[in-house]
Amino acid sequence: MIIRILMLCLVLFLVELYAFQALRTLITAKWILVSYQIISVLLLVFIIYSFMQFDRSVGQTKQSMLTMGLVLLIYIPKVVLTLVLFGEDIFRIGAGSINHFAKYNDSVGFLASRRKFVSQIGLGLAAVPFLSLLYGVTKGKYNYKVIKQSIFFPDLPEAFDGFTITQISDVHSGSFDNPEKINYAIDLVNEQNSDMILFTGDIVNTDAKEMHPWIDTFNRIKKHEFGKYSVLGNHDYGEYITWPTEAAKEENFQAIKDLYGQIGFKLLLNENTFIEKGADKIALVGVENWGNNFKKVGDINLASANLTKEDFKILMSHDPSHWEYEVKNHEKHFHLTLSGHTHGFQFGIEIPGVIRWSPIQYVYKQWAGLYENLGRYVYVNRGFGFHAYSGRVGIMPEITVIELKKGKSVA
């Protein structure tokens, strides 16, 4: 533990040193340089103090989210600066070594002076994550996108051709701080006029009380002709704080399950129900959370015990790793799985048809959007809310509208 702390201190020292060098290369006014150093020290002290105040019995708070935002806003740009100047140092050392042995320029010392244009390039590059993260905190976290996706199935019952489903996921109500924006998002949900709405878990960060100020807001989600259904996410189990007793934890868990009913959603707990339209029907299956690195209480076999391979099935499972490890090759053939959980890391680059990248893709094979395996699909919603970092950069909050189509995919 001590070694890790020392390593972190060393990294922070180098990052601060390189950032200051870049500034000093471009600015000669002493008062600006001194002011920069004072502000940097004060911010670092505030960050350390805030982390030391973190209470495991309370969990994430507005203070901890502010602190995490500051860490990213301050240190990611400085890391970019460090990489640029460190690259220049490698060049300076290489050139100095060659000059030392070749003696081709005696007027230059072993290390040449830092070049002003390199610091300018470094600051320019550092401005990109700084401005992006700043946008993510102020605008991006509420920049809701409605994403529409048609999926084709040869064996879809005729009556369900054109059936639409709105999906929301990962609300994390304890992070909200703007009622106007949340009401706007609810309006967007209602505007889709889908046949059914599904909520794939994480109504809170930890405590049921986080949702209490938002119950009336989410009750504005209108009734859908074929119902409103939900499942639990990993955060709904209260696993991420220290509870005074197991009884308190269980009481909170029961209260969280009740929240879904209080906003009009039928919670499916390792069970299924049939959705009937005309003479046809499809099975809606809901499992509790099953995560490769998180709580595993989802039981797909129990949830589908009365179903056959031939039944058309839509599965709600919060964590997409469930699809990867258990669902996609399951003998009962789950046609479509709807998941969330990843938030798309709330950070990445998405340009439709050009690039889709996020650090989360190195953890989850299915992290945002639609994936297919042998005619079985999973759709991963990018999340309605936000957690840990109070912002979104490149990966915007999502309201999904899925249209079921009968036939072979045209793709």
Side-chain angles (χ1 to χ4, degrees), residues 134-144 391-393 395-397:
L134 190 60
Y135 169 82
V137 169
T138 57
K139 299 290 185 181
K141 63 185 179 183
Y142 293 126
N143 186 15
Y144 292 95
R392 283 180 174 267
V393 179
I395 308 293
M396 298 304 152

Side-chain angles (χ1 to χ4, degrees), residues 336-356:
L336 172 63
T337 300
L338 298 178
S339 299
H341 180 64
T342 71
H343 300 205
F345 203 63
Q346 296 171 209
F347 180 88
I349 303 171
E350 282 199 280
I351 303 175
V354 179
I355 185 174
R356 186 173 65 177

Side-chain angles (χ1 to χ4, degrees), residues 30-41:
K30 187 174 180 179
W31 72 270
I32 296 179
L33 297 175
V34 171
S35 298
Y36 168 83
Q37 290 175 308
I38 292 173
I39 292 171
S40 294
V41 170

Side-chain angles (χ1 to χ4, degrees), residues 157 159-160 163-165 195-198 224-229 266 268 272-285 307 312-314 316 404:
F160 287 87
F163 190 85
T164 55
I165 300 167
D195 295 304
M196 182 168 65
I197 183 167
L198 305 179
H224 287 57
E225 182 179 356
F226 293 89
K228 300 162 67 174
Y229 296 91
K266 166 65 176 174
L268 298 179
N272 68 77
T273 186
F274 281 103
I275 308 298
E276 298 182 359
K277 186 178 183 184
D280 292 327
K281 64 182 180 179
I282 62 176
L284 179 64
V285 185
L307 303 178
F312 189 93
K313 294 173 286 297
I314 297 175
M316 289 190 291
L404 305 180

